[in-house]
Amino acid sequence: MHPAPVPLREQLARPEAFVVAAELVTSRGLITADSSRRVLELAQALAADPRIDVLSITDNPGGHAMLSPDTLGTDLISRGQEVIIHLSCKDWNRNALESRGWKLGSEGFDNVLALSGDYPVTGHRGLAAPVFDIDSVGLLSLFSEMNEGLPDERRQGEHLDRTHFFLGCVATNHKRLEREVMPQYFKLRKKAQAGARFVINQIGWNARKDDELLRWVRREQLPLSALANVYLLSRTAARAFHAGKIPGVVVTDELLERAERHGASPDRGRAFFLDLAAKHFAVARGLGFDGVYLGGHMPASTFGEIVDLAATFAADWRALAPEIHFPFPDEFYFFEPDGDTKLSSGELNAAYVESKRRRKTELRVPVKYRVSRRLHGAVFADDAPLFPAGRAFYGAVEKSKAATKLAHLAEQAAKVTLFDRRDCGDCSLPDIAYVCPESQCAKNQRNGPCGGTRDGLCEVYDTECIWSQAYERLKAYGEEESMLDGPAIVKDNALIRTSAWANTFRGRDHHARLDRDIREPDI
Ligand code: SF4
């Protein structure tokens, strides 16, 4: 009989807590296959190691099909191990995710890391179709509502049993440009509002950015415990990250050069990479993170080695911080640097504050955006002077099928020409500064950017990320800070191929639904 594990939420709530999580990546094939057996043996060895507090199992990382994390997790839970299950939206629609939620909750998996997920890169007989029916914020919102008890559709006024999920999210602030970094921070705020209670940052080797993330969490008073991502690098991994093969993971030229040099040594860089990970661990602990998230290809003994080596660096963590400093040469920061430590201060970046004051943008703000927002304010916004006339017009139009069709065609002609929109019927153009998430975002992200941008460009398409564009457009009006305020936006697929204008005026789209129905948990 194994002892009951201490739940992650209790571990993180302890004063002076410092939690060590270890990442497990499942393999492709049956649990009985050699590769799966190796992962299982690694997991069992880590579960037996008192230095490791929780095991975290990935969900089809990098857009590949792998063994489901629950399969490995079930064995670990039965051994009394605390587990985090990653759950991404790329392969499942909202019903499948809810169903997964019931399954996970029933089997004792309470810790769920909610992700939008990497875009699929492979698939059986061709590329798999991405789903992205909802995104990470939508998933957090769904599971938060499951925690409150979802309405029972069969019994009016009654609710289903509550789940007990402890929800986590990822933040990706190791980015180069202001228009990438700031939307990531705003999205983190939104994830916390949607129910996230812990955050793991994306892999990156820049302690100043790690520090900045913590400072953002505290500045915004977000109810989040933060785990720093500490990855055991290798020459092979450094090359892959530098080449952008894993979306959102950054290895700069300087770090690659270091990895190449040490990787060519007789120990293939083992001592250097181990030292780097242990110092990163010690600096994260010194900065005040609530734990670390250890990842990388290594045997169980090496996880423990990093923990032990980090303990020897603990007293000197501040002096070691400059060794975890591999930024882009022109990387953006929200805060000014802190003297020689190469960490963050609490003082806002003066150049950023000045650019905000002057509403200075890096991208050109198109005229069609300026015109569209005027039109929105005059006609489509709830309080627009012409909104009542629009409602009356569509009320009359919808009495005739022919008139409904004609009005829809006219709307199509205008919006396809201007915005390349896709007739989803539940329009988010006003939410994203008139950039269409259906046609221009590979993941249909309606609640902020995914973590995959590179120099402002989309992870999938060769175009500027829709949220980078939106940030710049809104900054020109001093509105960028509130770009992700409000509850989670979830598209209603029942409205596909219907008139978005009619749905706005007649109160059927998400704007009206949010006003009516959706209550987010207080933070
Ligand atoms: S447009 Fe932005 S949010 Fe959408 S998939 Fe590309 S990088 Fe991600």
Side-chain angles (χ1 to χ4, degrees), residues 262-513:
H262 289 281
S265 63
D267 74 345
R268 293 161 60 189
R270 186 178 190 278
F272 168 74
F273 295 125
L274 204 65
D275 200 59
L276 185 69
K279 285 174 178 166
H280 197 173
F281 183 124
V283 171
R285 185 163 196 167
L287 285 172
F289 275 88
D290 302 290
V292 290
Y293 184 85
L294 283 178
H297 294 287
M298 57 183 141
S301 57
T302 308
F303 281 90
E305 218 177 321
I306 293 172
V307 179
D308 291 343
L309 191 56
T312 68
F313 293 136
D316 298 324
W317 74 269
R318 198 175 284 278
L320 294 171
E323 295 186 36
I324 314 296
H325 189 69
F326 297 95
F328 295 105
D330 56 352
E331 186 160 334
F332 169 82
Y333 298 90
F334 182 64
F335 295 110
E336 290 287 349
D338 173 46
D340 295 336
T341 63
K342 298 210 169 156
L343 291 169
S344 182
S345 72
E347 197 182 319
L348 292 189
N349 175 341
Y352 162 70
V353 172
E354 177 60 11
S355 83
K356 266 177 76 66
R357 192 188 65 75
R358 292 173 48 216
R359 298 186 181 178
K360 186 171 173 299
T361 63
E362 298 288 331
L363 302 178
R364 193 180 60 81
V365 178
V367 174
K368 73 178 177 190
Y369 169 63
R370 296 187 189 276
V371 173
S372 299
R373 58 178 283 137
R374 276 178 178 259
L375 197 64
H376 183 79
V379 182
F380 295 101
D382 276 359
D383 54 354
L386 292 176
F387 190 90
R391 174 177 284 167
F393 173 77
Y394 274 96
V397 161
E398 289 190 341
K399 289 185 178 137
S400 152
K401 272 193 177 169
T404 301
K405 199 168 175 187
L406 208 62
H408 189 189
L409 280 175
E411 177 189 340
Q412 281 276 75
K415 286 168 94 177
V416 170
T417 313
L418 281 170
F419 308 113
D420 188 22
R421 50 89 82 162
R422 291 287 157 85
D423 209 17
C424 73
D426 199 359
C427 188
S428 268
L429 282 171
D431 308 320
I432 316 175
Y434 289 87
V435 190
C436 177
E438 294 279 324
S439 63
Q440 292 169 65
C441 174
K443 301 183 186 175
N444 198 354
Q445 300 284 289
R446 295 191 178 212
N447 292 289
C450 73
T453 58
R454 204 169 170 88
D455 296 341
L457 297 180
C458 174
E459 165 189 334
V460 185
Y461 302 147
D462 194 16
T463 50
E464 191 75 29
C465 169
I466 61 166
W467 287 101
S468 300
Q469 293 182 57
Y471 177 84
E472 293 281 302
R473 292 177 180 193
L474 290 164
K475 191 179 175 193
Y477 290 88
E479 295 172 1
E480 78 284 7
E481 285 217 22
S482 56
M483 66 189 283
L484 293 175
D485 286 359
I489 293 172
V490 176
K491 181 180 87 167
D492 182 358
N493 292 301
L495 300 178
I496 290 174
R497 295 193 190 163
T498 63
S499 162
W501 285 348
N503 294 331
T504 296
F505 287 123
R506 306 281 286 159
R508 295 186 289 253
D509 67 2
H510 66 269
H511 301 285
R513 286 198 309 277

